[in-house]
């Protein structure tokens, strides 16, 4: 006869696993030269940044991205209330990133810098909304299938990505790199569109479908540019053994001038310039400048064979 | 000595930012001809549509996509309870979209239309489940690595995408375009598979891996078709300056006949027909009809060079 | 005059829909030979597996992926507490998958097996963390734009994918296939990176951007390998009519040796070997072995045409 | 050897219990004459009323009963946002109670009545706050142990009870009896103070400790009155066999004039008048009028006995 | 200049406090003879019992205590779904209490007993509802101020207390004492009414207001009995030094026969009998039998004095 | 024909109500002399204090008041983790109360004081647990109906009240009056037992049932004292007109010596002493000293009358 409760999981070796995990962390931190100061180094947290961004979406487009029961008469109250709430959370996160960057700066100076940045950020919001309105219009014009501007705001991942990017870019420009990247990755995870917060993007920008789009840190995109899914605006990489690491920040991604259209799957690499009004066809691979007004397409290859390898 | 609480964030310029944001909204609405009526125009909301769809997944597959503690004996109660709940939420959302479309229609007529649609939708669910069962079987047969039909339902993003599509398509056909798009975008965000709710898709449909798949609004897909990741069934675009915007709704995406397989990365554009039983190889670029039974593959190019540009 | 409450939705045909849905389920289960035993067959559930994985991320990297208010002094307590909690949930899920696999095995034997696996899994965590630390270093070195190892942990989807993969692979190796796939799909959904839990991946692995990456079940990846977005390590598929289904588990995906770099969009198919130190350029299509040290690039085709089909 | 999963609960007799419960409900509804119309009769719901009341507490005292991170600069935004939200919920609940009371009234007339009431209610809030400020002052003066008015708002159940009562009374006066009672019971449950929403209570009212206080529907309380725990202002009941049921609404509870103090446990019954400035001692039992300025105390009985019954 | 982050709390002495707390627990468990077996002794948990009870309230009165959006057409589905859910939770809790009571009983026997009890409990629910309907009617008749039976169900704490008691009593009778007490304390906390789950209470029971009511374990209450707030049906206690502890379970609380009314604050102690139809006045203190039909009232003492002690 | 959406609530007069409410707040703050500094005065918040207290209950009694799935092997991890979490929240709340008390003290000095207090508080927890273990034993001995010490911890509101009191008293003694009161009111709301955090209570304290118990700020209770429901240990109040307000903090509540038992409903008022071992009967009213070993009971009055007023 068993007196043992058969539902009872055996005790786990918690103590030994915890001890070993501590040891591994210790080794890592020693190697990284961090054992001494980590206790006082916190970083911006996904949860809080995500809350701020979700609030900002509602602040910028209250009747479309705000709460579903919002009425027009309450708009300003909602906007002001959310704004105060979001800025209070944000200032703490900004403070954390600043104190990581400059751990030796005096506490009050860090507070002051964080406050100043957040106040400045708040005043930029109306211009941001105005800019995003132009992106909405660009999307509405860019996709003949769109039935209304409301559909753009509610259903286009490309617009969500550009909202996130325009916010993230403000943080990037101020040197708040981790917050900027957390915002960009939020958009990447939801939309499959990976725009580095450092990219410079002009007005009336539109991405359709979007999954797999990659836009690099030093890319410069003009006005009224349109991208489709799986477009890459990347860097040319050279073998590290031969050339060493690229210097960070040096321009290494394409310049895309005004009114360019780049169709799905095109890969455009290096600090080349796609001239004004050029149209880059789908799946094209480009590493040299393209003059204004060009039409670049992939040569089409077709053949019927017995042996047909294919990627499953 | 400082008497100021150093934790206290400086007061934010809430009033002025709120005022400016209101001004920007006002300008936008004026330009969009909406200032007068917006207060009474609400739209379907993501949160509610998502709740309905999650409930429908459980209603259609209670023991696999329902709550983890569900027992077989409770299945019908669970299904009936969730169904009533989901339809009640849904009728409100349908009502909102109808009243956006026809703001001048009398309130009672809108109620009646919403109720009729939702009742009709409910009666379509058994057939929908039957159809999805065939998709499960197609996935099980299509991927030799699948160990059981349970694994399909629990772990295949392609199946999740087709569940969402078959539901979204019902709304699209009824003209409930925004709800349909919100459903499709939910699937797109989770799976990376972007099927326009207008696409017509036959039985036993299977998408493997799926990230980057795009299926356009007027695409027509036959029975037993299989797609892999990054396949595009898109439109051929012409320059707008030359041709003007495409007429919405006109057929502009491919027809894929029964028993076609399209491997990863293939791009198929325009109102062309891929004939019955054709196999399209990976990364192939296609803009012309393909006869039944064809095998199309990309020409393979390989070369070893010093200068090797690559997309990072 | 209407006495009817106009807000009241019409009653839905719940009874008939529930009855029909039951009938469809019944047909399905009969066809699948499951009608008799389903009531006692539960499967691992997304919700619980996801909770375990989120907890494991915090257990492995407490100060970066744990709660935002964690202090260094509390690390061990947090780790031990979460670990006990996660293992308790996990043992139940493992038990469910075991009893699906071997429904005839005695209950106590299933308990014993589940407990033994989970205990073994716990003791593997320190080595797992050590391995992941090397992946962090690989990412930091692999992307010149990364400003710190913290940025890697907080902002790189590639790292998130490899954390999930290294955990999922432990389950796969033990034959806990459904749990392994649920973990892999969690990463796929969030990052767009689809690594089959069966893939064997060496140390210092790095994926940049990542959307659209697919790594197949029998792929073998060496040390210090680097992949970019949309890389496929897939199988060559042959027509099923001609060849029948592939035998499950037979090696059918590439071997990628140490120090290989594969740029964005490259498609590598079949049980071929990419030799040590090879560099595969973007968008390359490969179905044959590549010798060590090779540099493979796509031939670049460019032309300016009037008729420029493109994938929208 | 047992093949049965021992964790599996036996199937419950759900069908038969559900059927019997339906039968019992059917009997009840038949007896109550409700079988026919219940489907269209919903009532105000605790959850929604509680949400409204919690919001109103924050609206009335934003820096004390609002969110803990509220700043003064955001007060108005918070108040306006919460107010819009609370009134939108409230109007639906009011509508439900009205349509229960007058099921035959036309739908639009019910909407109009509900809207009018809620609008009127909103405009009463400033006066309500002013009145409650006087109650705070009364509490601060009434309890020498109170260290600040903040302590009153945060820690005195008596104040919580009077906030609820003054709100509930507005609904009672308008005939919205069920909403009024739900509000009163919320306070009763949290504080142990049971004030019928029909009671009329003057300014500067204070209840200390409060558990067990009962104030009846037709009680009339003057200004600056102070009660302690377990005070009853009740009705005299007569045997129903002899006298039949009391007519509802007829004055049957005490009148307590200005400046009266009633100490703990005093029981005051019937339509008697406690004259201005009277002091009623603890545990006193009163069923006759008390002249202004009186001091009423219980006769004290004390004895030491062997047999000492006591209530455990 | 301070380099220390001023926001950083000093590290807490977690290790030493945790160690000391473990030592205190160890001492306690040694004294209680529990150190050896506690790891395998879990008890029923508040959270789960509360969830079961809340579900049962909805199961018994779906349109009044169920979800606010329930429609009549969904009632059975809701009831069946909640019932399955509640019974599944309950069987685990019952199992825990049984295994505490009889730790040496074989696991399968404990499972069987738990399943049998829960199945029996389920079949008792229709009768329970029927009984509670009579309590609703008693409340409606007992309080002339009640406007409808709906108001009783939504707003009378006395009814909530009797629902809890009638459920708790089923567990008590089966020897599931801890579950029974957790249920009773849930009602006590919310309503201030403390009925021991062992008390026997006849049909048509009504408690008005209720705060402070105490009904002891062996009390026996007949049909159509009515209690008001602060009534005690308790035991006579004797000094323990003289008499030793009372034998548990021996009848020591009053018998209250049919049709008795007991007004507020009455204290009735010991195994005495209050005869059929008696009326006990407010604040009366009773330790002897009362013949049927009696009317018992407190002698009223009143005096006006200078020195008037009172309980604040 | 109505074009107006009949579901739409009329716009509320939000602006005017918000403006008026601001005006009322302004008047209040001016009268209270607070208009200038309120923006920087936050107070401890219920939500956070409640979270701390709930965590402390689990820290002190992990296997009984901690999470229901806790295993003995995880106890220390749970305790340490929760402790760190709770103390981090607590130090912020303590800081808020300190800065209210001494707004002019330098920020760093406030931080230091808050940290020191919280560290001291942490080290007191083991002794607190030891003391509470004695209260559990007292409850177990005091109620012959208690079946186990587990039942005491899970089901006795009296024990919950004393846990809260012993914690609250630590804050009171340190001058953290608002936090202390919030803790005491939490217990009051849940149990109906109102113990002022200033009361001094010896070991082995037990309250049975408890609803309506009031223990005043300067009450002193010895060891092994037992109270029943509705016992008051209060102050004698004199008319304020005659005597003015009592000096705060002056002893004005009873001293109850060791081994005293006070039965239900007894009211004991003023700075009198109940001598060692005395037994005070139910409902007794006491305002004079009682010698050690006394037995005090109420004279029993009984009479049968026609006219029987009673408190409903």
């Amino acid at each position: 006869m068993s007196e043992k409760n058969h539902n009872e999981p055996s005790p786990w070796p918690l103590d030994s696993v915890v001890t070993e995990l501590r040891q591994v962390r210790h080794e890592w931190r020693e190697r990284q030269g961090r054992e001494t100061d980590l206790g006082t180094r916190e970083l911006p947290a996904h949860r809080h940044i995500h809350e701020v961004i979700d609030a900002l979406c509602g602040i910028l487009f209250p009747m479309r991205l705000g709460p579903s029961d919002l009425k027009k008469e309450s708009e300003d109250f909602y906007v002001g209330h959310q704004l105060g709430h979001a800025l209070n959370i944000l200032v703490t996160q900004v403070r954390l990133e600043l104190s990581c960057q400059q751990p030796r700066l005096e506490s009050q100076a860090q507070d002051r810098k964080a406050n100043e940045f957040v106040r400045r950020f708040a005043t930029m919001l109306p211009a941001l909304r105005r800019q995003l309105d132009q992106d909405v219009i660009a999307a509405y014009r860019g996709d003949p299938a769109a039935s209304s501007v409301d559909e753009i705001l509610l259903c286009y991942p490309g617009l969500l990505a550009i909202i996130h990017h325009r916010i993230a870019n403000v943080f990037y420009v101020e040197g708040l790199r981790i917050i900027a990247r957390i915002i960009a990755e939020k958009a990447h995870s939801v939309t499959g569109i990976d725009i580095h917060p450092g990219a410079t993007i002009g007005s009336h920008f539109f991405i359709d479908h979007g999954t797999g789009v990659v836009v690099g840190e030093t890319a410069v995109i003009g006005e009224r540019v349109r991208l489709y899914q799986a477009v890459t605006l990347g860097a040319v990489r050279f073998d590290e053994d031969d050339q060493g690491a690229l210097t960070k920040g040096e321009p290494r991604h394409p310049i895309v001038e005004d009114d360019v259209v780049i169709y799905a799957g095109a890969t455009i690499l290096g600090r080349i310039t796609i001239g004004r009004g050029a149209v880059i066809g789908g799946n094209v691979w480009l590493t040299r400048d393209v003059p204004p007004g060009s039409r670049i397409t992939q040569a089409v290859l077709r053949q019927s064979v017995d042996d047909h390898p294919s990627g499953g």
Side-chain angles (χ1 to χ4, degrees), chain A residues 41-44 95-103 110 178:
Chain A
R41 290 191 63 184
E42 291 175 69
L43 289 169
R95 180 70 165 72
L96 286 172
E97 182 155 4
L98 288 176
S99 80
C100 275
Q101 291 176 5
Q102 304 178 286
Q110 289 178 349
I178 294 203

Side-chain angles (χ1 to χ4, degrees), chain A residues 54 71 87 98 102-103 106 183 187-188 192 211-212 234 267 283 287 311:
Chain A
D54 289 339
K71 306 290 175 200
L87 298 181
L98 288 176
Q102 304 178 286
E106 243 189 304
I183 296 169
H188 185 192
T211 312
T267 304
N283 285 17
T287 57

